């Protein structure tokens, strides 16, 4: 099976984390990914770590795509960041609104991601391929699924080249979302974001915050395993492999894996899928 794949990392905080990420990256690089992306958090030190991680990936000869979020940023800050990325040869960005850090009230110069996409196009023309976020199960703050879709279209109209979805475990949610996008004339590739199952408590917490639904049957089965992590992960690998198969068979243009900076479970999934290793 052949598919474009990409892998997402978060910037590690410690020397040990940096070393572990290098090892994971080495394994995942065997899949010949289209790019590795690195998340972004509000706050100075996190921003610096995104930059450091991206530049290290790039120095190893891989395409690296920093995530960049507009919330609580000024136009000048974004302009400076774009210039630094451009001068370091970065050619792809994952562009997001982000979420306000707790206690912070000012949204800054970019209330929504479409404004940031427009600003990047104004400042840098077509210097960057721009990926934006999409929500097959609807963003948790959206007033309605149709409003959320209209808002997604504003990012595409502002100049996004492709989208990566929030994770989901129901393939129909993705296919219906893509159909609804097509009916609005949206034709950019919409790549499913895939969250392997590492740990139930963490997954349930994330899903609650980001509005991703864990189907009841799956949630109950995962909870049954309790501390038996090996069995939980084995079920997770089966479930996620079957989801990826359905997505690719149904025409998804690729897969973007949320790696949590680990390679083991993803290697099992990609091997089950028969995805090519170099
Ligand atoms: P938007 O597209 O701006 O949408 C946010 C909400 O506002 C939606 O409910 C939308 O319907 C609504 N909306 C949009 N435009 C308008 C408008 N004009 N008027 C009124 N309402 C509007 N977060 C991070 O902090 N760092 C990361 O690195 C990061 N990476 C991510 C990667 C992916 C692939 C995904 C799917 C999410 C990522 N996130 C990240 C999370 C993301 O920042 C949050 O989901 C955030 O709440 C929304 O970002 P967005 O870019 O989708 O925002």
């Amino acid at each position: 099976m052949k598919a474009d794949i990409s892998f997402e990392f978060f910037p590690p905080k410690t020397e040990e984390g940096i070393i572990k990420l290098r090892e994971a990256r080495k394994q995942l690089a065997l899949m010949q990914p289209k790019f590795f992306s690195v998340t972004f958090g509000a706050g100075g030190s996190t921003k610096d770590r995104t930059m450091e991680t991206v530049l290290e990936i790039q120095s190893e000869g891989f395409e690296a795509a920093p995530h960049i979020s507009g919330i609580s940023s000024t136009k000048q800050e974004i302009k400076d960041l774009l210039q630094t990325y451009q001068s370091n040869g970065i050619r792809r960005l994952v562009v997001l609104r982000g979420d306000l850090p707790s206690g912070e009230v000012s949204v800054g110069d970019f209330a929504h991601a479409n404004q940031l996409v427009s600003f990047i196009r104004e400042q840098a023309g077509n210097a960057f391929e721009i990926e934006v976020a999409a929500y097959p199960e609807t963003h948790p703050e959206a007033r309605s699924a149709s409003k959320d879709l209209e808002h997604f279209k504003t990012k595409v109209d502002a100049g996004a080249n492709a989208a990566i979805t929030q994770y989901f475990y129901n393939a129909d949610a993705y296919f219906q979302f893509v159909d609804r996008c097509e009916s609005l004339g949206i034709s950019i590739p919409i790549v499913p974001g895939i969250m392997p199952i590492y740990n139930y408590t963490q997954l349930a917490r994330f899903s609650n915050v980001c509005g991703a639904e864990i189907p009841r049957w799956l949630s109950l089965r995962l909870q049954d395993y309790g501390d038996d992590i090996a069995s939980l992960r084995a079920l997770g690998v089966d479930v996620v492999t079957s989801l990826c198969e359905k997505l690719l068979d149904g025409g998804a243009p690729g897969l973007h894996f949320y790696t949590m900076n680990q390679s083991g479970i993803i290697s099992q999934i990609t091997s089950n899928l028969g995805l090519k290793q170099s």
Side-chain angles (χ1 to χ4, degrees), residues 8 38-42 67-69 94-99 111-115 132-135 139-144 147-149 151-152 154-155 164-167 210 256 258:
E8 179 171 315
V38 182
T39 62
F40 183 98
H67 294 208
I68 156 172
S69 67
V94 182
V95 176
L96 304 142
R97 181 197 69 175
D99 294 307
H112 294 291
N114 67 307
Q115 295 163 354
V132 290
Y135 300 86
H139 184 268
E141 285 166 32
R143 268 198 286 141
S144 67
K147 276 278 163 216
D148 203 31
L149 187 59
H151 295 146
F152 174 60
T154 64
K155 297 192 274 196
I164 302 171
T165 76
Q166 184 56 274
Y167 67 87
C210 73
H256 176 84
Y258 296 106

Side-chain angles (χ1 to χ4, degrees), residues 217-232:
W217 68 268
L218 178 58
S219 175
L220 291 173
R221 285 210 54 202
L222 293 171
Q223 287 177 70
D224 263 355
Y225 285 122
D227 293 334
D228 181 359
I229 291 291
S231 302
L232 175 139

Side-chain angles (χ1 to χ4, degrees), residues 158-215:
N161 301 100
I164 302 171
T165 76
Q166 184 56 274
Y167 67 87
F168 54 86
Y169 294 102
N170 177 357
D172 285 339
Y174 170 80
F175 291 123
Q176 291 201 11
F177 180 75
V178 170
D179 285 348
R180 288 165 63 230
C181 286
E182 282 172 2
S183 69
L184 288 185
I186 297 171
S187 58
I188 61 168
I190 299 173
V191 176
I194 305 296
M195 179 66 90
I197 298 172
Y198 303 98
N199 165 313
Y200 178 73
T201 313
Q202 189 190 43
L203 182 69
R205 201 179 58 235
F206 279 175
S207 304
N208 199 23
V209 173
C210 73
E213 193 172 291
I214 312 176

Side-chain angles (χ1 to χ4, degrees), residues 1 11 13 25 65 74-75 90 103 110 120 126 143 151 157-158 177 201 204 218-220 236 252 258 260 269 274:
M1 192 177 272
K13 288 197 181 110
R25 204 157 61 229
T74 63
K75 287 187 173 172
I90 297 296
F110 305 96
I120 295 171
N126 288 329
R143 268 198 286 141
H151 295 146
D157 293 344
F177 180 75
T201 313
L218 178 58
S219 175
L220 291 173
Y258 296 106
M260 310 305 280
I269 295 167

